[in-house]
Structure formats: C-alpha cells, structure tokens
Amino acid sequence: DSADGRSEVDVLIVGAGPAGLMMANWMSRCGIRSRIVDKRGTKIFNGQADGLQCRTLEIFDSFDFGHRAWIESNHMLEICLWNPDPKTGVIHRSDRIPDTIPNISRFQQVVLHQGRIERFFLDSISENSKRTLKDVPGWEGGIQVEHGVIPTLLEFDDKQAEDNDAYPISVKLRHLTEEESRPKQSATSLNGSGLQDGLFRSNLAQDDTEEMLEKSKALEAKAGKEETVHAKYLLGADGAHSWVRNQLGFKLQGESTDYIWGVLDIVPITDFPDIRMRCAIHSESSGSVMVIPRENKLVRLYIQLTTTENVEGGKKADRSKINPESILASAQRIMSPYKITYRYCDWWTAYQIGQRVGNNFSLKERIFLAGDAVHTHSPKAGQGMNVSMQDAFNLGWKVASVVKGTSTRSILKTYQSERRKIAQDLIDFDHRFSRLFSGRPAKDVLDEEGISMDEFKSAFQKGNLFASGVAVDYGASVIVAKAGDSTEQGDGTEVLGEEKLRVISEQELAKEIKVGMRMPSFKVLNQADARPWHFQELLKSNGTWRVVVFAGNIKSASQKTRLDALGEKLSSPTSFLNRFTPPQKRYDSVIELLAVHSAPRQDVTIFDFPAVFHPWDDTDGWDYWKIFVDDVSYHEGYGDAYKNYGVERETGCAVILRPDQYVAWVGEVDDYESMDKFFSGFMVEQARKGRAMNGGKEGAQLK
Ligand code: FAD
C-alpha cells in the first residue's frame, strides 16, 4: 500500500460468503495478491445453508479439507417418502430411495451448517496464502477476510480492459464501526423473539470467540477510514442483493413464486419413526414438510406455510405472523397423527422463494459476479451454497492463470458460458421440484390438480443426479475440446477459439471420461510404492493442468514404441510442457504429466517409462509420484480403472484435465500434436532461458 491510502491488488473480492471464500481460497492456493472484504462484522455461526453435494465434497477434498466436512457432518443415506394412505388419508411411508445415487462419487451428500464450512475456508485461506505469498512484499501475512468493510464507489476504465498489466478497476472502501457492521437481527430473519437467527454464536457448535473479539478490536481502530483500491479483477460475491451487480446495472430475470416457507432448526422430541432420515412428507390437505437430519442432534424442518394466493390481493404474506411457534404448529398438522415438539431451537427463518438468474455474469471479463448475486431460488434441494461455491471454483483458477501470465484472457469468457447454463438448469430444476413439493397429493389418477406421487418419486430420483453436482457438463470452448455447436455467451458472442487452433476429442477412446464433465474416480496404485489412491486424490486444486497418459500395456513392444515417441516429443525444449512453463518454475507447475499403465505392476519399474514421466530434481532426485498402475491392491481391492474409464487395456489413450478436474480433451496416447494444438489455443509462451524438461538429464545424473 502506498502512503496516501491507495493500494493495488490483483483480485478484490466483495462478500465473504461461500462464493467469495471459494474465490479467496483459489487465490491463496495460486499465490495471487487478493483482498476479500465483507460488510458483516462477524461470520455466520448457525443456520443458513447446510447441504453439501458429493461434488462439493470432491472439491473440498481437492483443497485438503474434505475430511473435516466429512467427519463433522451428518451423512444422509436414505430418503423416505411419506404420503396419505389412499384408504385412510393418514400419512404412511410409501417409499425409500437412496439419498445419493450409489457409485456416482466416492462421497455421499452430507449436511453441515454454513458457519463450519466458512471456518474450513478461513483456515485454508490463511494457511495457504501465508505459504504462497510469503515472498511477495506487503503480502507476507497472507490473505485475511476483512470484516466490517463496505465498498462505496466503483469505477471501471473499459479502455484498459484488454491490457493485461492494467488496473482498470477502482473501488472505494469504507471501514465500518463495530456497531455499524453488526447485523440487525429482526431485519434479516424476522426475528422478534430474541432467538438466534444464524449470526450469533451457537452453543452447539464449537467456534471461535477469540477470533471475533480480535476482529472487533481491529475494526474499532480502523473505523471510519476510507481507502481506494485499484484492482485488476473484481468479484462481486455479495449475495442476492449484490451491490456490485447494482453498480453494473445488471439485472436478475425471473419471478417470485407464491410459496412461503418456514425453516426450523430444532432438536426434535417426536414419535415420528423416520426423524433421522431425510423425508418428504405430503399430507392430505395440510401441506408438506421436508425433514433434514443434521449434525449435533439437530433436525431441520422446511415447511410450506401458505401461498400468497391465500393472502389478500395476492401480495406478500404478513411476515410478522410467522414465528417458530406458527411454523411448528404447521409441522404438527402435517405430521399428525405423529407428535413433534422441541425444547431447543437453534435457528429459524421464513422466506418467499424467488427464482431468478442474471443475464450477465461479467463486465468485460474484468468484473465478475458469482453465487446468489446471479441466481436465487429455493433452498430445499440444498443447491444454493453448492452452486455458489462451484461458480467461484470455476472462475478462480482461470483468473489466477491470467494474472500469472500463463493463460490468455480468452479463457475468461468460458466463465459465463459455463456457469450461466448451470444457473438456468438450476432454476428449471427448482421450478419443477418446488411445484411437486408444494402441491397437494393427487387423490387418484383423475385428480388433475393434485400431484402424482409417482411423478414426485421419479422427479426426486432424477433430481438426485442433478443435485449431486456430478452431472455438470460444460459445452465446447477453447478449453473443452469437444464437437458441437459453439457455446454462446448470454450476449450472443461465441467462446470458441480460432477454428485452426481447435482440436476435437476422440471420445470413444475413453467412454466414461466424458469431455466437459468432471473426471470420475477409481483406484489405481502408485507404481513405485504400491499404495492405492483414488484417482481424484491425485488431482489437487493447485492451478495446474494435467496430461494423463493411459499408457496401456507398456510390456508390449509396439505400445512401448508409441510411449517412447511421446516421451521424446514431450521432453523437447520446444514441447508444450517447456514452452508454457516459466523457466524459474517447477516442471509441474503449469502442466503436470501423469501416467496410468495396465501392465502387471510387478513386471514394471518407473524406469520403463521415458524420463519425462519421472522428472529429475537436482535436490530431490527422481519424482516417484507421477506413474500409476491399474492393478490389484493388497488391502483395498481392485479399482479396475481401465474398464471403468472405458479405456482399451492394450492401447490406452491420453486425457487432458483442467485445473478444476473437468475433462478438456481425450485422444490417442501418442497424439502429441493435438495436445500441443490444444494448449496453444490459450496458453502463453514463456520467455525461455534454455529450460529443458529433463531432456537427457538421467544419463548425466546417474554417472
Ligand atoms: P451469501 O452467502 O449471501 O454471502 C454474501 C456475503 O456478502 C455476505 O457475507 C454479506 O455480508 C456480504 N455482503 C453483502 N453485501 C455486501 C456489500 N455491499 N459489501 C460487502 N459485503 C457484502 N443453500 C443451501 O445450499 N442449502 C440450504 O439449506 C440453504 N438454506 C438457506 C436458508 C436461508 C434462510 C437462506 C437465506 C439461504 C439458504 N441457502 C441454502 C442458500 C445459501 O445460503 C446461499 O445460496 C449461499 O449462501 C450463497 O452464497 P454467496 O456467497 O453467493 O452469498
């Protein structure tokens, strides 16, 4: 920072909810000078979002904190559907279905409240940024969320938008006093009862009072201060009422629904037998309840209270009449003849669902919006927080690689083309799901007004795939080499690279590694030490691309010849590995080369591979963590990876994975030219100082 209060950052993030924290987390991983500010003086301690999709857990795992969520959360295994008995009208359990579709992920859906998830992010951001930014003047302390800071002015110089080195964004930030930044209870949660509404410390969750006290002291010292920040990039992750979005004049399109919902987080006292299962309960005529069993003995009830049709003039319902008692009374009617009450209530709220999506997710690929700032919908399917985090997960590595100068700005257009479609799918899904959930069950097949319970079950099952997050399939672009129409931006511009630079995948070589989707995971063994790894565990989110060579049966002479030819090209000083990696950086910092072969493990050593697959480091010697084998493990069975990935065992294939684990390209094992062409479409050649990717090193080192 300069003395006059001006400061420069690569990335400024407004809003420290799930979306903003995910962005800051990427920046901390990639060592990008960033600041993240939030108008709130404290973080969330209970309530709010809670469901974590299996894809979100995969993402957390790639950032090394998946285990924390997995251990602390409540795991949801089964969904029970309760409906009126056709004869008596009394609710009964009519079906059970698995909560997560078996075998779609190595994780299953879990629930844990937003405050804990934010905690994991804060720890990860702090730890990683202190490591990656320790040598960057002014950033030695890493990245910390700055609470009680609010932007008051945003200026953008669009003439500088395409200049990589420019800081076209200026934001005035004001530091609030402790009092100003404290959230007003009644305004945010309709709370008139003095009950916690999600912003105070919960006595069930272990948390961090010390940190809060420190924060508020720091806040007082800076209160009232104003500063101007000049940024290369800005992310508005400031929620549904996004200030950033409003400054840009961007709108959300869609509508408010008629459904009013109450949410109650309680430790229930009940004789309802499935209270520890996720349940969808449709009563004959009193409405529906969704039961979500939670961590710490809690259960969340989502209850439809009324529709605005019941309210005079179709206007908004009178929210002052909604309180924990009235929500509970509705639940009691719906769940009758079972009894339900509570002694402890952790949090509650009520809301009217709006289903809206933003037209523009970015201004000139300099200012971006993510999360609730660009899509709002009902929380019942547990999607909001997940999709919001995944927006920023999609964006973070792209911005980081452009700031670092390894990718051109062309890849930034794919943020909107990829994520806007997901947001629209989400709204469509939510629309169908809400209607089915909120409707009255049909009495019989002739009851057209009512909701068919068979239709509900089938929608639930189909919805489960969508809701898992693993079905995301990104369209063709400069970073997704698949055939098909060009993907359009919301504004009609296309996001494909120049035709001559584009390559198209040979999808049939790896039938289950779908271009545009995330890399599925099966177990493989490390060639050097026989340890089994879930393949996804090798794909850490650290900003690197990966070329995965399914080398096939390298004991076959013809296959070995192909592999050697590939190795030679890769180790050439002019290979894409060498051209796109800055000379002072580690060999796997931009593109990491991995191999999975199918010959028997015990017949092979790493030295059967070209040296580029086990790179040399002058300090550490050979790298033993790049070559893997599809073989039987001693203790964890057989992953049968080639079969499960749909890859031919003898001849294999090659796959390019993006830094976010999405599949970018599939082709022949030795199709070096396509790989080179693919990377050349968006990567920036680095000034070369005679870097050679291990070319010819091995002989010299071992003499
Ligand atoms: P937010 O979480 O809203 O975060 C925005 C952040 O920006 C906040 O910290 C805010 O203080 C800050 N901010 C706002 N304006 C400014 C400004 N001008 N300057 C500085 N900072 C600012 N999702 C689920 O997945 N499952 C659920 O069960 C679920 N239940 C929900 C229940 C309720 C009552 C609500 C309201 C939401 C629920 N959601 C649920 C949705 C989920 O909470 C959101 O989708 C998710 O939090 C969105 O993340 P975000 O980071 O985009 O925005």
Side-chain angles (χ1 to χ4, degrees), residues 231-364:
K232 287 186 173 166
Y233 292 90
L234 172 68
L235 178 67
D238 47 350
H241 303 288
S242 174
W243 178 87
V244 176
R245 186 187 67 222
N246 291 337
Q247 299 308 300
L248 302 180
F250 292 170
K251 297 267 180 296
L252 294 185
Q253 293 190 324
E255 56 204 41
S256 222
T257 66
D258 290 339
Y259 310 121
I260 307 258
W261 287 81
V263 188
L264 208 50
D265 282 351
I266 53 173
V267 176
I269 298 171
T270 182
D271 58 357
F272 181 69
D274 288 343
I275 198 72
R276 294 301 309 169
M277 296 292 191
R278 182 171 163 201
C279 294
I281 307 171
H282 278 87
S283 71
E284 193 173 36
S285 53
S286 306
S288 4
V289 174
M290 171 95 90
V291 177
I292 310 275
R294 301 267 311 266
E295 73 279 11
N296 287 331
K297 299 182 181 168
L298 288 169
V299 170
R300 171 170 289 190
L301 302 177
Y302 281 108
I303 302 137
Q304 188 192 339
L305 297 174
T306 172
T307 70
T308 45
E309 287 156 25
N310 307 345
V311 179
E312 235 174 283
K315 292 273 160 41
K316 292 207 164 183
D318 179 359
R319 294 186 172 193
S320 66
K321 298 231 168 69
I322 302 171
N323 53 47
E325 292 72 36
S326 66
I327 301 173
L328 180 69
S330 297
Q332 286 167 334
R333 278 195 297 276
I334 298 163
M335 293 172 75
S336 162
Y338 298 97
K339 305 263 181 294
I340 182 160
T341 182
Y342 64 84
R343 299 216 176 91
Y344 177 78
C345 175
D346 193 52
W347 185 80
W348 71 278
T349 192
Y351 57 87
Q352 187 162 349
I353 304 167
Q355 289 159 330
R356 298 191 181 87
V357 61
N359 246 357
N360 288 300
F361 280 37
S362 106
L363 177 68
K364 306 247 167 175

Side-chain angles (χ1 to χ4, degrees), residues 310-434:
N310 307 345
V311 179
E312 235 174 283
K315 292 273 160 41
K316 292 207 164 183
D318 179 359
R319 294 186 172 193
S320 66
K321 298 231 168 69
I322 302 171
N323 53 47
E325 292 72 36
S326 66
I327 301 173
L328 180 69
S330 297
Q332 286 167 334
R333 278 195 297 276
I334 298 163
M335 293 172 75
S336 162
Y338 298 97
K339 305 263 181 294
I340 182 160
T341 182
Y342 64 84
R343 299 216 176 91
Y344 177 78
C345 175
D346 193 52
W347 185 80
W348 71 278
T349 192
Y351 57 87
Q352 187 162 349
I353 304 167
Q355 289 159 330
R356 298 191 181 87
V357 61
N359 246 357
N360 288 300
F361 280 37
S362 106
L363 177 68
K364 306 247 167 175
E365 289 79 44
R366 282 286 183 171
I367 303 178
F368 297 93
L369 298 172
D372 280 10
V374 271
H375 41 73
T376 63
H377 46 84
S378 84
K380 278 183 310 301
Q383 295 296 295
M385 177 170 60
N386 292 278
V387 176
S388 297
M389 289 190 283
Q390 286 166 27
D391 285 345
F393 183 64
N394 179 288
L395 178 66
W397 64 269
K398 295 175 182 172
V399 170
S401 61
V402 173
V403 169
K404 284 188 149 181
T406 52
S407 290
T408 61
R409 284 179 33 80
S410 64
I411 66 169
L412 298 177
K413 275 199 188 317
T414 63
Y415 172 62
Q416 165 151 335
S417 65
E418 294 182 343
R419 296 309 297 178
R420 189 163 183 278
K421 181 174 174 299
I422 302 300
Q424 275 166 328
D425 290 350
L426 173 62
I427 304 299
D428 294 345
F429 166 74
D430 194 58
H431 197 74
R432 281 197 307 278
F433 192 72
S434 290

Side-chain angles (χ1 to χ4, degrees), residues 576-604:
F576 61 83
L577 290 182
N578 287 319
R579 291 202 318 278
F580 299 129
T581 306
Q584 70 281 14
K585 288 279 155 62
R586 221 179 110 96
Y587 49 80
D588 54 6
S589 62
V590 177
I591 302 168
E592 180 181 32
L593 189 60
L594 295 172
V596 183
H597 73 90
S598 64
R601 177 179 61 83
Q602 298 182 358
D603 295 352
V604 173

Side-chain angles (χ1 to χ4, degrees), residues 558-703:
S558 60
Q559 188 67 6
K560 177 84 167 78
T561 306
R562 295 174 81 196
L563 190 66
D564 287 345
L566 174 68
E568 194 159 318
K569 288 177 186 163
L570 288 170
S571 56
S572 148
T574 58
S575 78
F576 61 83
L577 290 182
N578 287 319
R579 291 202 318 278
F580 299 129
T581 306
Q584 70 281 14
K585 288 279 155 62
R586 221 179 110 96
Y587 49 80
D588 54 6
S589 62
V590 177
I591 302 168
E592 180 181 32
L593 189 60
L594 295 172
V596 183
H597 73 90
S598 64
R601 177 179 61 83
Q602 298 182 358
D603 295 352
V604 173
T605 80
I606 63 165
F607 299 111
D608 291 313
F609 279 76
V612 72
F613 287 96
H614 49 90
W616 177 271
D617 178 292
D618 282 342
T619 317
D620 301 334
W622 301 117
D623 187 334
Y624 297 97
W625 294 273
K626 306 295 188 204
I627 303 176
F628 296 82
V629 52
D630 177 22
D631 205 341
V632 182
S633 74
Y634 281 112
H635 307 288
E636 297 178 28
Y638 179 35
D640 215 352
Y642 270 65
K643 181 161 165 256
N644 284 314
Y645 283 131
V647 175
E648 217 282 315
R649 277 195 88 79
E650 281 297 306
T651 51
C653 70
V655 173
I656 296 177
L657 300 177
R658 308 185 340 177
D660 56 3
Q661 301 107 28
Y662 284 80
V663 181
W665 172 83
V666 172
E668 292 283 0
V669 134
D670 51 358
D671 188 359
Y672 172 86
E673 286 66 31
S674 291
M675 300 178 204
D676 195 313
K677 202 170 169 189
F678 173 78
F679 285 117
S680 301
F682 62 92
M683 280 202 173
V684 179
E685 289 212 12
Q686 304 296 315
R688 268 185 288 138
K689 292 190 192 133
R691 156 185 277 277
M693 191 66 72
N694 305 291
K697 273 260 167 129
E698 65 211 287
Q701 295 300 336
L702 294 177
K703 261 179 209 152

